Amino acid sequence: MKSVAVYTTLLVDHDAPVTIDELARCCERHTEWVVTLVREGVVSIARGQTPEEWAFGSVAVSRARQIARLERDFDVNLDAAALMTDLMEEIRQLRRQLGG
């Protein structure tokens, strides 16, 4: 019996940011979770004044997905997941500066 894996991609760039609904769906969360991320300053919106108008760029999508994974995989709260994400980003930045 063969198994089949189905992958979904979401193209995100400056010309095609994602909506709050798309971001919530790609993180397997509710929109209220995304609102909390924005209000806590964990992710930034690319544009829009109200949650219905918000649009998110690739950096916000990447951060939100990583936070969702950390919350799920390690059963940590939002504060811990955000801190872990910040530290991992800092490590990546330092490695780039060192050329490795």
Side-chain angles (χ1 to χ4, degrees):
M1 177 182 223
K2 288 186 177 182
S3 63
V4 176
V6 177
Y7 297 95
T8 303
T9 60
L10 180 63
L11 179 63
V12 181
D13 64 17
H14 294 295
D15 297 325
V18 299
T19 66
I20 189 171
D21 292 323
E22 291 168 328
L23 181 56
R25 232 183 352 266
C26 106
C27 294
E28 298 177 357
R29 298 285 198 243
H30 297 286
T31 55
E32 294 82 16
W33 179 82
V34 177
V35 170
T36 301
L37 292 182
V38 172
R39 296 224 166 105
E40 293 292 323
V42 176
V43 297
S44 301
I45 55 174
R47 63 176 181 243
Q49 299 298 317
T50 64
E52 295 79 25
E53 298 170 338
W54 287 349
F56 299 90
S58 59
V59 172
V61 172
S62 177
R63 282 184 59 83
R65 288 180 51 109
Q66 186 166 20
I67 289 166
R69 278 193 307 273
L70 289 168
E71 286 180 335
R72 180 190 65 232
D73 295 349
F74 295 103
D75 194 29
V76 296
N77 64 21
L78 174 59
D79 292 334
L83 176 61
M84 293 165 72
T85 299
D86 289 343
L87 292 172
M88 287 186 278
E89 288 174 357
E90 189 171 330
I91 290 168
R92 281 191 291 272
Q93 181 182 4
L94 290 169
R95 285 184 177 157
R96 277 193 301 274
Q97 289 175 358
L98 292 172

